[in-house]
Amino acid sequence: MDKLKGKGKEAVGKLTGDRRKESEGKADQLKGRAKDAVGEAGDRAKGVKDSLRSDDDR
């Protein structure tokens, strides 16, 4: 959601010449990417944990 909102802000900033709005949009996009990366890392960690369990533990 942050990435989409950021793209919108960045586009509006570019159209209006508002550098601050453009920068806010870029920051929102980075925040969205960071959230995605954290989520993916958690998913990978869970996958590793599950793969290390033996069939008897399930």
Side-chain angles (χ1 to χ4, degrees):
M1 192 66 181
D2 288 314
K3 289 191 289 186
L4 183 60
K5 179 176 75 171
K7 284 192 179 285
K9 276 187 184 180
E10 183 181 6
V12 168
K14 283 182 178 180
L15 287 172
T16 61
D18 186 344
R19 289 181 140 169
R20 182 176 180 167
K21 183 70 70 180
E22 188 177 344
S23 294
E24 287 176 9
K26 289 180 181 182
D28 286 343
Q29 289 177 62
L30 286 172
K31 186 167 93 173
R33 284 190 216 125
K35 285 181 180 179
D36 287 347
V38 168
E40 289 173 11
D43 291 345
R44 275 191 238 120
K46 184 180 181 325
V48 168
K49 178 183 165 191
D50 290 345
S51 70
L52 292 175
R53 293 174 123 183
S54 71
D55 288 334
D56 296 335
D57 292 342
R58 292 185 187 169

Short mmCIF file of all heavy atoms in Angstrom, two decimals:
data_model
loop_
_atom_site.label_atom_id
_atom_site.label_comp_id
_atom_site.label_asym_id
_atom_site.label_seq_id
_atom_site.Cartn_x
_atom_site.Cartn_y
_atom_site.Cartn_z
N MET A 1 0.82 -1.18 0.00
CA MET A 1 0.00 0.00 0.00
C MET A 1 0.87 1.26 0.00
O MET A 1 0.55 2.22 -0.68
CB MET A 1 -0.92 -0.06 1.23
CG MET A 1 -2.00 0.93 1.21
SD MET A 1 -3.12 0.54 -0.13
CE MET A 1 -4.26 1.80 0.04
N ASP A 2 1.95 1.23 0.78
CA ASP A 2 2.84 2.38 0.83
C ASP A 2 3.47 2.66 -0.52
O ASP A 2 3.64 3.82 -0.91
CB ASP A 2 3.94 2.18 1.88
CG ASP A 2 3.41 2.28 3.31
OD1 ASP A 2 2.65 3.22 3.58
OD2 ASP A 2 3.75 1.42 4.12
N LYS A 3 3.81 1.59 -1.24
CA LYS A 3 4.44 1.77 -2.55
C LYS A 3 3.48 2.46 -3.51
O LYS A 3 3.87 3.36 -4.25
CB LYS A 3 4.92 0.44 -3.13
CG LYS A 3 6.12 -0.13 -2.40
CD LYS A 3 6.73 -1.30 -3.13
CE LYS A 3 5.87 -2.51 -3.09
NZ LYS A 3 6.51 -3.70 -3.69
N LEU A 4 2.23 2.05 -3.50
CA LEU A 4 1.23 2.64 -4.39
C LEU A 4 0.98 4.10 -4.04
O LEU A 4 0.94 4.97 -4.91
CB LEU A 4 -0.07 1.84 -4.32
CG LEU A 4 -1.20 2.27 -5.23
CD1 LEU A 4 -0.76 2.17 -6.70
CD2 LEU A 4 -2.42 1.40 -5.00
N LYS A 5 0.82 4.36 -2.75
CA LYS A 5 0.61 5.73 -2.29
C LYS A 5 1.81 6.60 -2.68
O LYS A 5 1.64 7.74 -3.13
CB LYS A 5 0.41 5.74 -0.77
CG LYS A 5 0.21 7.12 -0.17
CD LYS A 5 -0.07 7.05 1.32
CE LYS A 5 1.18 6.74 2.09
NZ LYS A 5 1.03 6.86 3.54
N GLY A 6 3.00 6.05 -2.52
CA GLY A 6 4.21 6.78 -2.85
C GLY A 6 4.31 7.11 -4.33
O GLY A 6 4.72 8.21 -4.71
N LYS A 7 3.92 6.16 -5.17
CA LYS A 7 3.95 6.42 -6.62
C LYS A 7 3.01 7.57 -6.97
O LYS A 7 3.34 8.40 -7.80
CB LYS A 7 3.58 5.16 -7.40
CG LYS A 7 4.69 4.14 -7.47
CD LYS A 7 4.36 3.07 -8.49
CE LYS A 7 5.47 2.07 -8.60
NZ LYS A 7 6.62 2.56 -9.32
N GLY A 8 1.85 7.59 -6.34
CA GLY A 8 0.90 8.66 -6.58
C GLY A 8 1.44 10.01 -6.15
O GLY A 8 1.36 11.00 -6.89
N LYS A 9 2.00 10.06 -4.95
CA LYS A 9 2.58 11.32 -4.46
C LYS A 9 3.72 11.79 -5.35
O LYS A 9 3.82 12.98 -5.65
CB LYS A 9 3.13 11.14 -3.03
CG LYS A 9 2.14 11.27 -1.95
CD LYS A 9 2.87 11.23 -0.61
CE LYS A 9 1.95 11.28 0.55
NZ LYS A 9 2.67 11.23 1.83
N GLU A 10 4.56 10.86 -5.74
CA GLU A 10 5.69 11.22 -6.60
C GLU A 10 5.18 11.79 -7.93
O GLU A 10 5.69 12.81 -8.41
CB GLU A 10 6.58 10.01 -6.85
CG GLU A 10 7.81 10.33 -7.68
CD GLU A 10 8.69 9.14 -7.96
OE1 GLU A 10 8.32 7.99 -7.61
OE2 GLU A 10 9.77 9.35 -8.53
N ALA A 11 4.18 11.15 -8.51
CA ALA A 11 3.63 11.61 -9.79
C ALA A 11 3.03 13.01 -9.64
O ALA A 11 3.26 13.89 -10.49
CB ALA A 11 2.58 10.63 -10.29
N VAL A 12 2.26 13.23 -8.57
CA VAL A 12 1.66 14.55 -8.35
C VAL A 12 2.75 15.59 -8.16
O VAL A 12 2.68 16.70 -8.70
CB VAL A 12 0.69 14.51 -7.13
CG1 VAL A 12 0.30 15.91 -6.71
CG2 VAL A 12 -0.53 13.69 -7.45
N GLY A 13 3.77 15.22 -7.40
CA GLY A 13 4.88 16.14 -7.17
C GLY A 13 5.58 16.52 -8.46
O GLY A 13 5.92 17.68 -8.68
N LYS A 14 5.79 15.55 -9.32
CA LYS A 14 6.44 15.83 -10.61
C LYS A 14 5.58 16.74 -11.48
O LYS A 14 6.07 17.65 -12.12
CB LYS A 14 6.75 14.53 -11.35
CG LYS A 14 7.95 13.81 -10.81
CD LYS A 14 8.24 12.54 -11.62
CE LYS A 14 9.48 11.86 -11.08
NZ LYS A 14 9.80 10.63 -11.82
N LEU A 15 4.27 16.45 -11.51
CA LEU A 15 3.35 17.24 -12.34
C LEU A 15 3.24 18.69 -11.88
O LEU A 15 3.13 19.60 -12.69
CB LEU A 15 1.96 16.61 -12.37
CG LEU A 15 1.81 15.33 -13.18
CD1 LEU A 15 0.44 14.72 -12.96
CD2 LEU A 15 2.02 15.61 -14.66
N THR A 16 3.25 18.87 -10.56
CA THR A 16 3.06 20.21 -10.01
C THR A 16 4.38 20.93 -9.72
O THR A 16 4.35 22.10 -9.36
CB THR A 16 2.24 20.15 -8.71
OG1 THR A 16 2.95 19.36 -7.74
CG2 THR A 16 0.86 19.57 -8.95
N GLY A 17 5.48 20.22 -9.86
CA GLY A 17 6.77 20.82 -9.55
C GLY A 17 7.04 20.92 -8.06
O GLY A 17 7.91 21.66 -7.62
N ASP A 18 6.29 20.16 -7.28
CA ASP A 18 6.43 20.17 -5.82
C ASP A 18 7.48 19.12 -5.44
O ASP A 18 7.19 17.93 -5.33
CB ASP A 18 5.08 19.86 -5.18
CG ASP A 18 5.08 19.97 -3.66
OD1 ASP A 18 6.17 20.00 -3.05
OD2 ASP A 18 3.97 20.02 -3.09
N ARG A 19 8.68 19.58 -5.23
CA ARG A 19 9.79 18.65 -4.92
C ARG A 19 9.57 17.94 -3.59
O ARG A 19 9.97 16.79 -3.43
CB ARG A 19 11.11 19.41 -4.90
CG ARG A 19 11.56 19.83 -6.26
CD ARG A 19 12.86 20.53 -6.16
NE ARG A 19 13.72 20.14 -7.26
CZ ARG A 19 14.84 20.75 -7.55
NH1 ARG A 19 15.25 21.76 -6.81
NH2 ARG A 19 15.56 20.35 -8.57
N ARG A 20 8.97 18.63 -2.64
CA ARG A 20 8.73 18.01 -1.34
C ARG A 20 7.76 16.83 -1.48
O ARG A 20 7.98 15.75 -0.92
CB ARG A 20 8.17 19.04 -0.37
CG ARG A 20 7.95 18.48 1.01
CD ARG A 20 7.51 19.53 1.98
NE ARG A 20 7.33 18.92 3.28
CZ ARG A 20 7.19 19.61 4.38
NH1 ARG A 20 7.24 20.92 4.36
NH2 ARG A 20 7.01 18.99 5.52
N LYS A 21 6.68 17.03 -2.22
CA LYS A 21 5.69 15.95 -2.43
C LYS A 21 6.34 14.78 -3.18
O LYS A 21 6.10 13.63 -2.86
CB LYS A 21 4.49 16.49 -3.22
CG LYS A 21 3.38 15.52 -3.44
CD LYS A 21 2.60 15.18 -2.19
CE LYS A 21 1.78 16.36 -1.74
NZ LYS A 21 1.00 16.09 -0.54
N GLU A 22 7.18 15.11 -4.14
CA GLU A 22 7.90 14.08 -4.91
C GLU A 22 8.81 13.27 -3.98
O GLU A 22 8.84 12.04 -4.04
CB GLU A 22 8.70 14.74 -6.01
CG GLU A 22 9.34 13.79 -6.98
CD GLU A 22 10.08 14.50 -8.11
OE1 GLU A 22 9.87 15.70 -8.32
OE2 GLU A 22 10.88 13.82 -8.77
N SER A 23 9.51 13.96 -3.10
CA SER A 23 10.39 13.28 -2.14
C SER A 23 9.61 12.42 -1.17
O SER A 23 10.04 11.31 -0.81
CB SER A 23 11.23 14.30 -1.37
OG SER A 23 12.10 14.96 -2.23
N GLU A 24 8.46 12.94 -0.71
CA GLU A 24 7.61 12.15 0.19
C GLU A 24 7.17 10.87 -0.50
O GLU A 24 7.12 9.81 0.12
CB GLU A 24 6.39 12.96 0.61
CG GLU A 24 6.67 14.06 1.59
CD GLU A 24 5.43 14.91 1.89
OE1 GLU A 24 4.31 14.54 1.46
OE2 GLU A 24 5.58 15.93 2.57
N GLY A 25 6.84 10.98 -1.78
CA GLY A 25 6.42 9.80 -2.53
C GLY A 25 7.53 8.77 -2.62
O GLY A 25 7.30 7.57 -2.45
N LYS A 26 8.73 9.22 -2.88
CA LYS A 26 9.86 8.30 -2.95
C LYS A 26 10.11 7.65 -1.60
O LYS A 26 10.41 6.46 -1.52
CB LYS A 26 11.11 9.04 -3.44
CG LYS A 26 11.03 9.41 -4.91
CD LYS A 26 12.27 10.14 -5.37
CE LYS A 26 12.14 10.51 -6.84
NZ LYS A 26 13.34 11.18 -7.34
N ALA A 27 9.97 8.43 -0.53
CA ALA A 27 10.17 7.88 0.82
C ALA A 27 9.10 6.82 1.13
O ALA A 27 9.41 5.77 1.72
CB ALA A 27 10.13 8.99 1.86
N ASP A 28 7.85 7.10 0.74
CA ASP A 28 6.78 6.12 0.96
C ASP A 28 7.06 4.83 0.21
O ASP A 28 6.81 3.73 0.72
CB ASP A 28 5.43 6.68 0.53
CG ASP A 28 4.87 7.72 1.50
OD1 ASP A 28 5.35 7.78 2.64
OD2 ASP A 28 3.95 8.46 1.10
N GLN A 29 7.58 4.95 -1.01
CA GLN A 29 7.90 3.75 -1.79
C GLN A 29 9.00 2.94 -1.11
O GLN A 29 8.93 1.71 -1.05
CB GLN A 29 8.34 4.15 -3.20
CG GLN A 29 7.20 4.68 -4.05
CD GLN A 29 7.66 5.13 -5.40
OE1 GLN A 29 8.16 4.30 -6.17
NE2 GLN A 29 7.52 6.40 -5.70
N LEU A 30 10.01 3.62 -0.58
CA LEU A 30 11.08 2.92 0.14
C LEU A 30 10.54 2.22 1.38
O LEU A 30 10.93 1.09 1.68
CB LEU A 30 12.19 3.90 0.53
CG LEU A 30 13.08 4.38 -0.60
CD1 LEU A 30 14.01 5.49 -0.09
CD2 LEU A 30 13.88 3.23 -1.17
N LYS A 31 9.63 2.90 2.09
CA LYS A 31 9.02 2.30 3.27
C LYS A 31 8.26 1.03 2.89
O LYS A 31 8.35 0.01 3.57
CB LYS A 31 8.08 3.32 3.93
CG LYS A 31 7.50 2.87 5.25
CD LYS A 31 6.85 4.03 5.98
CE LYS A 31 5.40 4.10 5.65
NZ LYS A 31 4.68 5.11 6.46
N GLY A 32 7.55 1.08 1.79
CA GLY A 32 6.81 -0.10 1.32
C GLY A 32 7.74 -1.24 0.95
O GLY A 32 7.48 -2.40 1.27
N ARG A 33 8.84 -0.91 0.29
CA ARG A 33 9.81 -1.96 -0.08
C ARG A 33 10.44 -2.58 1.17
O ARG A 33 10.68 -3.79 1.21
CB ARG A 33 10.91 -1.38 -0.98
CG ARG A 33 10.44 -1.16 -2.38
CD ARG A 33 11.61 -0.81 -3.31
NE ARG A 33 11.13 0.16 -4.27
CZ ARG A 33 11.66 1.34 -4.50
NH1 ARG A 33 12.73 1.74 -3.88
NH2 ARG A 33 11.12 2.15 -5.39
N ALA A 34 10.71 -1.75 2.18
CA ALA A 34 11.29 -2.26 3.42
C ALA A 34 10.32 -3.22 4.11
O ALA A 34 10.72 -4.28 4.59
CB ALA A 34 11.65 -1.11 4.35
N LYS A 35 9.05 -2.85 4.14
CA LYS A 35 8.05 -3.73 4.75
C LYS A 35 7.97 -5.06 4.00
O LYS A 35 7.85 -6.12 4.60
CB LYS A 35 6.67 -3.07 4.75
CG LYS A 35 6.53 -1.98 5.78
CD LYS A 35 5.13 -1.39 5.73
CE LYS A 35 4.93 -0.30 6.74
NZ LYS A 35 3.56 0.28 6.65
N ASP A 36 8.03 -4.99 2.68
CA ASP A 36 8.00 -6.22 1.87
C ASP A 36 9.20 -7.10 2.19
O ASP A 36 9.08 -8.32 2.32
CB ASP A 36 8.00 -5.89 0.37
CG ASP A 36 6.68 -5.33 -0.11
OD1 ASP A 36 5.68 -5.41 0.64
OD2 ASP A 36 6.65 -4.81 -1.25
N ALA A 37 10.38 -6.48 2.31
CA ALA A 37 11.60 -7.23 2.58
C ALA A 37 11.53 -7.92 3.94
O ALA A 37 11.93 -9.08 4.08
CB ALA A 37 12.82 -6.32 2.51
N VAL A 38 11.00 -7.22 4.94
CA VAL A 38 10.87 -7.81 6.27
C VAL A 38 9.91 -9.00 6.22
O VAL A 38 10.18 -10.05 6.80
CB VAL A 38 10.39 -6.75 7.29
CG1 VAL A 38 9.96 -7.40 8.60
CG2 VAL A 38 11.48 -5.73 7.55
N GLY A 39 8.81 -8.84 5.52
CA GLY A 39 7.85 -9.94 5.40
C GLY A 39 8.44 -11.14 4.69
O GLY A 39 8.23 -12.29 5.11
N GLU A 40 9.19 -10.89 3.63
CA GLU A 40 9.83 -11.99 2.90
C GLU A 40 10.87 -12.70 3.76
O GLU A 40 10.98 -13.93 3.71
CB GLU A 40 10.46 -11.46 1.61
CG GLU A 40 9.45 -11.06 0.56
CD GLU A 40 10.08 -10.38 -0.64
OE1 GLU A 40 11.33 -10.41 -0.76
OE2 GLU A 40 9.34 -9.82 -1.45
N ALA A 41 11.62 -11.94 4.54
CA ALA A 41 12.63 -12.54 5.40
C ALA A 41 11.95 -13.44 6.44
O ALA A 41 12.43 -14.54 6.74
CB ALA A 41 13.46 -11.46 6.09
N GLY A 42 10.83 -12.99 6.99
CA GLY A 42 10.08 -13.80 7.95
C GLY A 42 9.57 -15.07 7.32
O GLY A 42 9.62 -16.15 7.93
N ASP A 43 9.07 -14.96 6.08
CA ASP A 43 8.59 -16.16 5.38
C ASP A 43 9.72 -17.14 5.14
O ASP A 43 9.55 -18.35 5.29
CB ASP A 43 7.96 -15.77 4.04
CG ASP A 43 6.65 -15.01 4.20
OD1 ASP A 43 6.07 -15.03 5.31
OD2 ASP A 43 6.21 -14.39 3.20
N ARG A 44 10.89 -16.62 4.75
CA ARG A 44 12.04 -17.51 4.51
C ARG A 44 12.48 -18.19 5.81
O ARG A 44 12.80 -19.37 5.81
CB ARG A 44 13.21 -16.72 3.92
CG ARG A 44 13.11 -16.58 2.44
CD ARG A 44 14.39 -16.03 1.84
NE ARG A 44 14.00 -14.81 1.14
CZ ARG A 44 14.45 -13.61 1.38
NH1 ARG A 44 15.36 -13.40 2.28
NH2 ARG A 44 14.01 -12.58 0.70
N ALA A 45 12.49 -17.44 6.90
CA ALA A 45 12.89 -18.01 8.18
C ALA A 45 11.93 -19.13 8.60
O ALA A 45 12.35 -20.17 9.09
CB ALA A 45 12.94 -16.92 9.25
N LYS A 46 10.64 -18.90 8.37
CA LYS A 46 9.66 -19.94 8.70
C LYS A 46 9.88 -21.17 7.83
O LYS A 46 9.80 -22.30 8.31
CB LYS A 46 8.24 -19.41 8.51
CG LYS A 46 7.18 -20.39 8.93
CD LYS A 46 5.80 -19.83 8.73
CE LYS A 46 4.68 -20.74 9.13
NZ LYS A 46 4.82 -22.14 8.93
N GLY A 47 10.20 -20.95 6.57
CA GLY A 47 10.46 -22.07 5.66
C GLY A 47 11.66 -22.88 6.10
O GLY A 47 11.65 -24.11 6.05
N VAL A 48 12.71 -22.19 6.54
CA VAL A 48 13.92 -22.89 7.00
C VAL A 48 13.59 -23.69 8.26
O VAL A 48 13.97 -24.85 8.39
CB VAL A 48 15.06 -21.89 7.28
CG1 VAL A 48 16.20 -22.54 8.03
CG2 VAL A 48 15.56 -21.29 5.97
N LYS A 49 12.85 -23.05 9.17
CA LYS A 49 12.47 -23.75 10.41
C LYS A 49 11.66 -25.00 10.08
O LYS A 49 11.93 -26.07 10.63
CB LYS A 49 11.64 -22.81 11.28
CG LYS A 49 11.15 -23.43 12.56
CD LYS A 49 10.29 -22.43 13.31
CE LYS A 49 9.49 -23.13 14.38
NZ LYS A 49 8.47 -22.29 14.96
N ASP A 50 10.70 -24.87 9.18
CA ASP A 50 9.87 -26.02 8.81
C ASP A 50 10.70 -27.11 8.14
O ASP A 50 10.48 -28.30 8.35
CB ASP A 50 8.73 -25.59 7.88
CG ASP A 50 7.68 -24.76 8.59
OD1 ASP A 50 7.67 -24.73 9.84
OD2 ASP A 50 6.88 -24.11 7.89
N SER A 51 11.67 -26.73 7.33
CA SER A 51 12.47 -27.74 6.63
C SER A 51 13.43 -28.46 7.57
O SER A 51 13.85 -29.58 7.27
CB SER A 51 13.24 -27.09 5.47
OG SER A 51 14.26 -26.26 5.95
N LEU A 52 13.76 -27.85 8.68
CA LEU A 52 14.67 -28.48 9.63
C LEU A 52 13.96 -29.46 10.56
O LEU A 52 14.59 -30.30 11.19
CB LEU A 52 15.39 -27.41 10.48
CG LEU A 52 16.37 -26.54 9.71
CD1 LEU A 52 16.91 -25.45 10.64
CD2 LEU A 52 17.51 -27.36 9.14
N ARG A 53 12.65 -29.33 10.63
CA ARG A 53 11.89 -30.27 11.46
C ARG A 53 11.87 -31.63 10.80
O ARG A 53 11.77 -31.76 9.60
CB ARG A 53 10.44 -29.80 11.61
CG ARG A 53 10.30 -28.54 12.37
CD ARG A 53 8.87 -28.12 12.30
NE ARG A 53 8.36 -27.98 13.66
CZ ARG A 53 7.12 -27.68 13.93
NH1 ARG A 53 6.25 -27.50 12.97
NH2 ARG A 53 6.73 -27.53 15.18
N SER A 54 11.95 -32.65 11.62
CA SER A 54 11.84 -34.01 11.05
C SER A 54 10.37 -34.35 10.86
O SER A 54 9.49 -33.70 11.41
CB SER A 54 12.49 -35.02 12.00
OG SER A 54 11.73 -35.18 13.16
N ASP A 55 10.09 -35.36 10.09
CA ASP A 55 8.72 -35.77 9.83
C ASP A 55 8.01 -36.19 11.12
O ASP A 55 6.80 -36.08 11.25
CB ASP A 55 8.68 -36.91 8.81
CG ASP A 55 9.01 -36.44 7.41
OD1 ASP A 55 8.78 -35.24 7.13
OD2 ASP A 55 9.51 -37.25 6.61
N ASP A 56 8.76 -36.69 12.10
CA ASP A 56 8.17 -37.11 13.36
C ASP A 56 7.68 -35.93 14.19
O ASP A 56 6.78 -36.09 14.99
CB ASP A 56 9.20 -37.91 14.19
CG ASP A 56 9.59 -39.19 13.51
OD1 ASP A 56 8.77 -39.72 12.70
OD2 ASP A 56 10.70 -39.69 13.79
N ASP A 57 8.30 -34.75 14.00
CA ASP A 57 7.94 -33.58 14.78
C ASP A 57 6.66 -32.92 14.27
O ASP A 57 6.08 -32.11 14.95
CB ASP A 57 9.06 -32.54 14.75
CG ASP A 57 10.30 -33.00 15.50
OD1 ASP A 57 10.17 -33.94 16.32
OD2 ASP A 57 11.38 -32.46 15.26
N ARG A 58 6.24 -33.23 13.10
CA ARG A 58 5.06 -32.55 12.51
C ARG A 58 3.80 -33.10 12.99
O ARG A 58 3.26 -33.89 13.34
CB ARG A 58 5.11 -32.63 10.99
CG ARG A 58 6.24 -31.81 10.47
CD ARG A 58 6.23 -31.78 8.98
NE ARG A 58 7.47 -31.10 8.58
CZ ARG A 58 7.90 -31.07 7.35
NH1 ARG A 58 7.25 -31.66 6.41
NH2 ARG A 58 8.99 -30.45 7.05
#
